């Protein structure tokens, strides 16, 4: 029995040593092939594996495919995408149409086959084992930078489409001079870095007590193309669409502390308007059907609005044909709404079909 146990221990030890030796020699071999390919490939054509899924990444894929067809920049071009039973993503549709080879994620990438891996809006974390299969795969330093001006009323959907085009163009420019770009790459600075949490439908719900005009307009610009702003109308979810935006709300940012200080100061002076442009906002967008519409009455209504009505108060502006809602520091307006289970409707239809059907003291979003 002792001899048998000893023999088993020796066998296990030998197998463990063989396993360690195999992986040691395999790593040496992989590193050697990787270094050998780097030395061999100092110029195009580049053999590329592309990782992408949606419309954003499709811009980069089509740019690579175009270069493969008409120039010597791209040699082999294989694609990896995420499988889905419900949706055929844009990248997969393109590959099926154009006859490009495509593999489902996850993949095992052999060493020594590809020069570069290109990742664009892929949607999955790529492990080190895959990254190491590409001798020219940048994973940290910055090889190129493009600054893009953003207008005060730019929304995320339009910006994403523009950045997809800019990114695809810059990718081709980098590949045309890749070795030099990699040699001159610089570390990414941490200045100005902010967290980008994952967004969901819950992210776009408006808290009328806390959100300022600036905050709501920022949310609208960021979320509307993906998760439209929404609130509750007597328990029913309502999406607020086609916001009336104002330039000053994009350029003048008040912190929560500054807003709180101005609320306190305004209350101490007997006025519920937080700042002068809140009155201007009222004059622009909050002509209540309860009032005759005279500018002095509108101004008076704004001044006492927070005193007489809580945030979330809903009115209809007959002149502009918008629904206006009182938030923390003023009024925000929307041209159309969508009540869950119903078709989109104009602000006028919402006013006629819903607002006028209940007492005025219940005209409020929650």
């Amino acid at each position: 029995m002792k001899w048998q146990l000893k023999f088993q221990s020796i066998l296990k030890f030998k197998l463990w040593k063989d396993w360690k030796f195999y992986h040691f020699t395999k790593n040496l071999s992989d590193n050697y092939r990787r270094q050998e390919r780097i030395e061999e490939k100092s110029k195009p054509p580049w053999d590329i594996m592309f990782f992408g899924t949606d419309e954003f990444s499709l811009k980069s894929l089509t740019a690579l495919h175009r270069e493969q067809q008409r120039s010597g920049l791209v040699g082999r071009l294989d694609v990896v995408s995420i499988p889905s039973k419900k949706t055929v993503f844009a990248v997969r549709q393109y590959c099926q149409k154009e006859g490009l080879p495509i593999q489902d994620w996850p993949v095992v990438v052999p060493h020594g086959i590809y020069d570069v891996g290109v990742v664009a809006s892929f949607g999955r974390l790529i492990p080190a084992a895959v990254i190491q299969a590409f001798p020219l795969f940048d994973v940290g330093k910055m090889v190129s930078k493009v600054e893009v001006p953003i207008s005060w009323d730019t929304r995320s959907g339009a910006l994403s489409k523009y950045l997809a085009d800019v990114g695809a163009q810059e990718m081709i420019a980098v590949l045309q001079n890749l070795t030099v770009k990699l040699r001159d790459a610089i570390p990414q600075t941490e200045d100005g870095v902010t967290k980008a949490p994952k967004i969901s439908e819950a992210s776009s719900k408006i808290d009328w007590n806390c959100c300022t005009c600036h905050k709501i307009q920022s949310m609208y610009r960021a979320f509307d193309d993906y998760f439209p702003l929404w609130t509750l109308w007597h328990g029913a979810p309502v999406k607020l669409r086609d916001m009336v935006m104002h330039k000053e709300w994009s350029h003048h940012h008040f912190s929560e502390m500054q807003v709180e200080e101005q609320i306190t100061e305004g209350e101490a002076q007997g006025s519920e308007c937080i700042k002068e442009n809140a009155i201007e906002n009222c004059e622009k967008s909050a002509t209540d059907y309860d009032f005759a519409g005279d500018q002095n009455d509108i101004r008076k209504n704004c001044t006492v609005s927070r005193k007489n009505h809580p945030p979330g108060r809903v009115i209809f502006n007959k002149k502009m044909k918008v629904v206006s809602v009182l938030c923390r520091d003023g009024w925000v307006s929307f041209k159309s709404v969508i009540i869950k289970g119903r078709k989109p409707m104009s602000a006028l239809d919402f006013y006629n079909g819903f607002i006028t059907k209940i007492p005025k003291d219940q005209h409020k979003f929650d």
Side-chain angles (χ1 to χ4, degrees), residues 164-181:
D165 288 328
V166 172
Q169 294 170 14
E170 192 63 16
M171 173 195 64
I172 297 301
V174 168
L175 288 173
Q176 288 170 343
N177 202 18
L178 183 59
T179 52
V180 174
K181 289 285 188 180

Side-chain angles (χ1 to χ4, degrees), residues 7 10 17 19 59 92 107 112 135 169 208 210 224 250 258-259 264 336 345:
F7 175 75
I10 292 172
K17 285 182 66 179
W19 180 84
K59 294 290 185 178
R92 187 174 297 274
V107 295
Q169 294 170 14
W208 301 106
C210 298
D224 184 65
S250 290
Q258 287 173 314
V259 169
T264 305
S336 62
M345 67 183 78

Side-chain angles (χ1 to χ4, degrees), residues 18-29:
D18 290 345
W19 180 84
K20 292 288 287 183
F21 179 75
Y22 165 76
H23 280 275
F24 174 73
T25 54
K26 184 177 183 300
N27 287 337
L28 283 179
S29 177

Side-chain angles (χ1 to χ4, degrees), residues 87-305:
T87 306
V88 181
F89 293 114
V91 163
R92 187 174 297 274
Q93 290 180 7
Y94 181 82
C95 289
Q96 291 172 351
K97 178 183 176 182
E98 298 294 329
L100 281 174
I102 184 170
Q103 302 178 48
D104 289 340
W105 179 262
V107 295
V108 176
V109 183
H111 287 248
I113 301 298
Y114 302 97
D115 304 306
V116 181
V118 174
V119 184
S121 190
F122 183 50
R124 293 292 185 273
L125 290 176
I126 299 179
V130 174
I131 293 174
Q132 291 169 0
F134 303 98
L136 305 175
F137 200 154
D138 165 58
V139 291
K141 292 184 178 181
M142 193 162 52
V143 297
S144 181
K145 180 175 75 171
V146 178
E147 294 186 2
V148 176
I150 301 176
S151 175
W152 70 270
D153 58 349
T154 300
R155 287 158 52 185
S156 57
L159 181 61
S160 293
K161 291 178 181 178
Y162 181 64
L163 292 177
D165 288 328
V166 172
Q169 294 170 14
E170 192 63 16
M171 173 195 64
I172 297 301
V174 168
L175 288 173
Q176 288 170 343
N177 202 18
L178 183 59
T179 52
V180 174
K181 289 285 188 180
L182 290 174
R183 185 194 65 198
D184 298 337
I186 59 174
Q188 297 185 55
T189 178
E190 295 185 1
D191 295 339
V193 173
T194 58
K195 290 184 178 180
K198 186 176 181 179
I199 63 170
S200 65
E201 191 174 35
S203 307
S204 61
K205 186 178 188 300
I206 301 175
D207 184 337
W208 301 106
N209 290 287
C210 298
C211 290
T212 62
C213 296
H214 166 85
K215 174 71 173 178
I216 293 171
Q217 181 162 292
S218 297
M219 291 171 63
Y220 175 75
R221 294 173 62 199
F223 300 145
D224 184 65
D225 292 300
Y226 309 101
F227 299 101
L229 302 187
W230 65 283
T231 185
L232 294 175
W233 173 258
H234 298 278
V238 177
K239 294 179 180 179
L240 302 174
R241 308 304 305 271
D242 303 315
M243 182 178 179
V244 179
M245 294 194 288
H246 297 292
K247 191 172 184 178
E248 61 269 25
W249 293 350
S250 290
H251 292 306
H252 298 293
H253 174 64
F254 285 78
S255 68
E256 295 301 312
M257 184 176 294
Q258 287 173 314
V259 169
E260 193 64 49
E261 288 174 352
Q262 294 193 41
I263 291 174
T264 305
E265 181 182 352
E267 290 174 347
Q269 296 173 355
S271 171
E272 297 296 330
C273 260
I274 296 174
K275 53 183 179 291
E276 282 300 317
N277 73 348
I279 296 176
E280 296 172 7
N281 297 340
C282 276
E283 294 174 346
K284 288 177 181 176
S285 62
T287 306
D288 196 344
Y289 62 89
D290 293 336
F291 297 92
D294 181 82
Q295 291 300 315
N296 291 328
D297 288 337
I298 298 167
R299 189 179 183 90
K300 181 181 177 182
N301 178 40
C302 182
T303 304
V304 299
S305 59

Side-chain angles (χ1 to χ4, degrees), residues 53-70:
T53 303
D54 57 14
E55 291 286 348
F56 187 97
S57 51
L58 181 59
K59 294 290 185 178
S60 294
L61 177 58
T62 54
L64 290 171
H65 190 207
R66 186 165 55 247
E67 293 298 324
Q68 184 191 43
Q69 293 174 321
R70 72 183 188 186

